[in-house]
Amino acid sequence: KASDAKPGDEQTYDAPTPKPLPKLAKDEGRSQSVLVIPIKGTIDLGLAPFVERSLADGRNAAVIIFDVDTFGGRVDAAVKIRDAILGTTVPTIAYVNRRAISAGALISLAADYIVFAPGASMGAATPIQLEGGKAKAVGEKMVSYMRSEMRATAEAKGRDGQLAEAMVDADVEVPGVIQKGKLLTLTTKQAMEWGLANGKSATQRDLLDSLTLGRAEVVKQSENWAENVARFLTDPVVSGLLMSLGMLGMLLELYTPGFGFAGGLGMMGLM
């Protein structure tokens, strides 16, 4: 029974049985290397090409592990990453260490397996928009889109789409799990209890041992300089600042004869 159920409420959630983690050392058709891709910090448009390149680099790996620790970010960037993960043929694991919030939940659902670290959390994927430095709710159109993306991604990997929807829309009720009016965020214990997690591992080394890949070569992917620059420029705070400087520069240029420094600065900020 869920902790959110009302006293006396006998409704229970019929949790699906998640598939067990594979024993990948027995797969003789693949190399025994492991590729680890960090999904850290803000999910921005600079992260998507890094993940796409990393997936291409790891096409011969035994498994690709996404080391997830994010509070979320841009939906469009998360969708690009989600599509790239769904398109790979290499077994993928989202290791939630320590949080997969908002856009991070969508990315994690795209993996073949989800493994939680102790004390981890996943969910709270309602899209928001920033206005004047404050987070504001978006319209039903965007919520409906995100809800369908989350459900479709979960179902593509054999997971319960209703749990995924409840992470996005507080109007979605899952009897025995979450009441209407509350947004779903799962702890490690709840993810295991309700069949969303395929396993629990305290460390990446423990995870590799459970995959019988304890002696495998581990390659930790890192961003190149171009991807670092792209991530910096597409960070929501930085991009918002550049947009403001660009508008200010263009406004100053309107009151300045000819075309000068303010106009150039404005164009650079808006590019």
Side-chain angles (χ1 to χ4, degrees):
K1 295 183 181 179
S3 59
D4 286 311
K6 296 178 180 178
D9 190 346
E10 297 181 355
Q11 288 182 310
T12 58
Y13 175 65
D14 187 14
T17 301
K19 56 186 177 182
L21 292 174
K23 304 301 180 183
L24 294 172
K26 297 180 180 180
D27 188 352
E28 301 296 337
R30 291 189 179 275
S31 72
Q32 294 307 298
S33 65
V34 176
L35 183 69
V36 178
I37 303 176
I39 306 293
K40 305 283 188 178
T42 303
I43 306 299
D44 49 47
L45 288 173
L47 182 63
F50 163 66
V51 173
E52 292 170 347
R53 176 179 64 83
S54 299
L55 289 174
D57 291 345
R59 59 185 175 274
N60 294 320
V63 64
I64 296 175
I65 298 176
F66 298 96
D67 188 8
V68 184
D69 186 6
T70 176
F71 286 104
R74 294 182 61 122
V75 172
D76 51 355
V79 170
K80 287 185 177 181
I81 296 171
R82 171 255 195 200
D83 291 346
I85 297 173
L86 289 179
T88 187
T89 58
V90 179
T92 53
I93 297 175
Y95 180 48
V96 183
N97 178 33
R98 301 280 182 188
R99 56 197 59 81
I101 304 301
S102 191
L106 177 62
I107 293 171
S108 298
L109 287 172
D112 296 318
Y113 305 90
I114 301 178
V115 177
F116 277 65
S121 59
M122 173 178 170
T126 294
I128 60 173
Q129 59 185 356
L130 293 176
E131 291 185 6
K134 296 182 179 179
K136 294 187 177 182
V138 298
E140 170 59 24
K141 181 178 180 179
M142 188 62 190
V143 172
S144 175
Y145 165 73
M146 189 63 177
R147 188 171 60 227
S148 65
E149 283 282 350
M150 290 281 286
R151 185 180 188 105
T153 305
E155 291 177 345
K157 296 300 181 178
R159 301 186 178 99
D160 186 357
Q162 197 173 16
L163 286 180
E165 283 190 307
M167 294 181 182
V168 178
D169 192 346
D171 288 334
V172 176
E173 180 178 9
V174 183
V177 175
I178 193 75
Q179 299 175 12
K180 185 176 182 179
K182 294 184 177 181
L183 206 60
L184 181 62
T185 301
L186 297 177
T187 64
T188 298
K189 180 180 178 181
Q190 291 169 330
M192 295 291 293
E193 179 182 353
W194 295 330
L196 187 74
N198 300 91
K200 174 184 174 181
S201 292
T203 65
Q204 280 190 30
R205 178 53 56 186
D206 291 342
L207 173 56
L208 292 177
D209 288 341
S210 66
L211 299 171
T212 63
L213 288 172
R215 297 184 178 180
E217 176 190 7
V218 178
V219 179
K220 295 184 178 181
Q221 200 77 352
S222 59
E223 299 159 346
N224 59 36
W225 69 269
E227 290 160 348
N228 278 321
V229 171
R231 291 205 66 182
F232 174 76
L233 293 177
T234 58
D235 181 273
V237 175
V238 176
S239 60
L241 178 60
L242 290 175
M243 180 69 72
S244 298
L245 289 175
M247 295 299 295
L248 178 61
M250 296 305 293
L251 182 63
L252 291 174
E253 186 64 26
L254 292 175
Y255 294 95
T256 304
F259 187 83
F261 174 77
L265 181 63
M267 292 183 64
M268 290 179 62
L270 295 174
M271 289 180 63

